[in-house]
Amino acid sequence: MSGGPLIHLLLDGFDASYLRHAPFLAEGIGEGAGRPLEIPSLFGARGMVFSGTYPGTNQVFTDLWRDPHHSRLRFLRRFSAYRLPDTAWARTGIRAMVRLLSRYPCPMPENIPAQRLWRFDHPVTSGRLTAFKGPGPVPSLIDHLRWNGIRFHYEGPPFSRFPQRPIQRLTRLLKAHPDYVFVHIPEPDPTGHEHGPDSTVIARLVREIDGETAALCRDLEGLGIKFRLLVHSDHGMARVRKCIDLKTRILKWPLIPGRDFDFFLDSTMARFWVRNEEVGRMLTDLIKEDSFEARLLTPEDREAGGLGGLDARFGDLIAVVEEGTLILPNDYQRQPVRGMHGYLDGSSKGVVAWKGLEIPNEDRSISLLDMFPTVLDGLGISPDANLPGRSLLQPNRGMSEGSSGLGMRGRMMKHAEN
């Protein structure tokens, strides 16, 4: 393949601010010196990386939706009148049984009471871009690779557990002569959550990743192996400054959860499902009056954030908090963390850098949505012209909304002006 194999490194949760600890990515990688990457939607980063589309198109948003009529956990309803065991062993057994029968993962947030579990499920659409199988509204990157006979190596979930120092293994992997190598580097994300984006621990980790990336390039160049390198993250990381307890407020409302509505609390987002339109109006008023730290997304907000057309099972009403705020407790966490992502607006961004790619001078902002068409283009596959992102390998012939550099917040302001 012209230019040699394409190496694609995904740095999970690598914030743009980390570049100050990464001299090779920031300056030494070449023409594509590290720069901020716009993250154009609240959640669903994996769907954007592996399909180049918004969550409202690819239906990959979060790991849980409400689906009481078809949930693989609906058999638990028979026992909902009893006190079901909430032990880790019980949940592990249920997860294993459901996954065995359905062949799809079944993550169950620890903080959802067992009596409520039967109403929820893990979307099969998420499995489409996690396990690369099953139904899906859009083709994935792996589909394109297989359709075009591209030789590739994939290093990441769910096919492999991460070995120590996966970047150091790349020299050996390239000896098998693949056209494309994808490697997911997970460590920045959990480290950023636990220690915070401004911690000495994350700085040390970033220096290690940066050094290994530089060593990889030196080794390949020393062996005379031609290669191209694309490095980017899927989201940034913001320091948590305060926690708010929305659950206590919700349980004091005159509407009754489980009868009038259902809710699910994520770290930065609260989702609600309503029984009917009247309850929806009452719930909307309650959210606006009592959850002043959380802003309810309007239909215009959803469209601007790429959520237009999102399956209603993900939530009838969605409220989000500002950057630096953590909803606690939530259905995933009981203890605070020092770093978080998944905010509607804010200053945290991802990062992108490249080497060996013939990319025209880019004076526009680069979006996560641009990564998918760039990879396809680099492999000789023509990207769909209707994708919201644009290949970096093509001259800048006007910017789509996905590549406008406005970001989600800017697009919302644009909607408000119109």
Side-chain angles (χ1 to χ4, degrees), residues 119-190:
R119 302 187 187 120
F120 298 93
D121 197 3
H122 181 70
V124 294
T125 49
S126 293
R128 172 65 180 161
L129 296 174
T130 301
F132 309 114
K133 63 180 180 179
V138 295
S140 73
L141 173 61
I142 305 300
D143 289 330
H144 286 285
L145 296 176
R146 290 169 175 163
W147 294 339
N148 289 275
I150 302 294
R151 297 168 297 177
F152 70 93
H153 179 86
Y154 179 95
E155 190 84 27
F159 302 128
S160 61
R161 291 196 174 274
F162 300 104
Q164 290 293 321
R165 309 212 178 279
I167 296 176
Q168 294 183 357
R169 301 176 67 244
L170 282 173
T171 302
R172 180 175 63 81
L173 291 174
L174 289 176
K175 293 180 180 179
H177 304 293
D179 300 314
Y180 172 71
V181 178
F182 173 88
V183 178
H184 183 166
I185 311 297
E187 290 88 354
D189 186 68

Side-chain angles (χ1 to χ4, degrees), residues 24 86 99 112 117 153 232 256 293 380:
F24 180 72
D86 258 341
R99 178 162 190 166
I112 296 184
L117 279 173
H153 179 86
H232 69 88
I256 299 176
E293 297 99 336

Side-chain angles (χ1 to χ4, degrees), residues 111-367:
N111 291 0
I112 296 184
Q115 283 78 5
R116 291 176 55 204
L117 279 173
W118 63 270
R119 302 187 187 120
F120 298 93
D121 197 3
H122 181 70
V124 294
T125 49
S126 293
R128 172 65 180 161
L129 296 174
T130 301
F132 309 114
K133 63 180 180 179
V138 295
S140 73
L141 173 61
I142 305 300
D143 289 330
H144 286 285
L145 296 176
R146 290 169 175 163
W147 294 339
N148 289 275
I150 302 294
R151 297 168 297 177
F152 70 93
H153 179 86
Y154 179 95
E155 190 84 27
F159 302 128
S160 61
R161 291 196 174 274
F162 300 104
Q164 290 293 321
R165 309 212 178 279
I167 296 176
Q168 294 183 357
R169 301 176 67 244
L170 282 173
T171 302
R172 180 175 63 81
L173 291 174
L174 289 176
K175 293 180 180 179
H177 304 293
D179 300 314
Y180 172 71
V181 178
F182 173 88
V183 178
H184 183 166
I185 311 297
E187 290 88 354
D189 186 68
T191 306
H193 283 305
E194 181 178 358
H195 299 281
D198 50 1
S199 66
T200 57
V201 177
I202 198 72
R204 182 167 60 250
L205 174 64
V206 168
R207 285 193 291 268
E208 291 176 357
I209 293 173
D210 187 65
E212 290 175 6
T213 306
L216 169 69
C217 293
R218 287 196 302 269
D219 291 346
L220 295 178
E221 290 168 348
L223 293 171
I225 299 176
K226 294 184 65 177
F227 68 97
R228 296 165 298 160
L229 178 65
L230 176 65
V231 184
H232 69 88
S233 54
D234 51 354
H235 57 77
M237 187 71 66
R239 181 166 64 90
V240 173
R241 294 178 173 83
K242 65 177 179 179
C243 299
I244 59 173
D245 182 0
L246 290 185
K247 185 174 184 178
T248 298
R249 300 181 202 176
I250 291 171
L251 295 178
K252 291 180 179 178
W253 290 348
L255 297 174
I256 299 176
R259 186 195 71 180
D260 300 318
F261 71 98
D262 270 323
F263 71 97
F264 183 85
L265 299 179
D266 209 319
S267 306
T268 64
M269 173 177 64
R271 292 184 283 156
F272 302 87
W273 295 262
V274 299
R275 183 176 179 180
N276 52 50
E277 290 185 6
E278 181 182 359
V279 171
R281 288 191 293 270
M282 295 174 62
L283 195 59
T284 296
D285 292 338
L286 288 167
I287 294 170
K288 291 179 178 178
E289 293 171 4
D290 199 29
S291 303
F292 55 89
E293 297 99 336
R295 180 162 76 83
L296 193 63
L297 295 186
T298 65
E300 292 76 19
D301 290 340
R302 290 194 182 209
E303 286 292 335
L307 305 182
L310 194 67
D311 194 304
R313 287 175 288 184
F314 283 111
D316 297 315
L317 301 172
I318 300 176
V320 299
V321 296
E322 64 181 8
E323 187 176 80
T325 301
L326 177 68
I327 298 173
L328 195 75
N330 60 62
D331 288 309
Y332 289 108
Q333 301 163 299
R334 289 189 175 93
Q335 300 299 322
V337 294
R338 292 185 173 89
M340 186 50 63
H341 55 88
Y343 292 103
L344 176 70
D345 50 27
S347 60
S348 62
K349 301 182 187 300
V351 64
V352 60
W354 59 85
K355 184 178 182 65
L357 293 169
E358 296 181 3
I359 295 178
N361 291 330
E362 287 292 340
D363 55 2
R364 63 175 171 88
S365 294
I366 299 176
S367 164

Side-chain angles (χ1 to χ4, degrees), residues 77-91:
R77 184 177 184 179
R78 303 178 186 178
F79 311 103
S80 60
Y82 305 95
R83 183 171 180 82
L84 296 175
D86 258 341
T87 64
W89 283 107
R91 294 200 176 219

Side-chain angles (χ1 to χ4, degrees), residues 63-75:
D63 287 337
L64 211 73
W65 63 15
R66 184 183 183 275
D67 190 13
H69 300 297
H70 304 96
S71 170
R72 293 168 297 163
L73 297 165
R74 63 186 183 276
F75 68 91

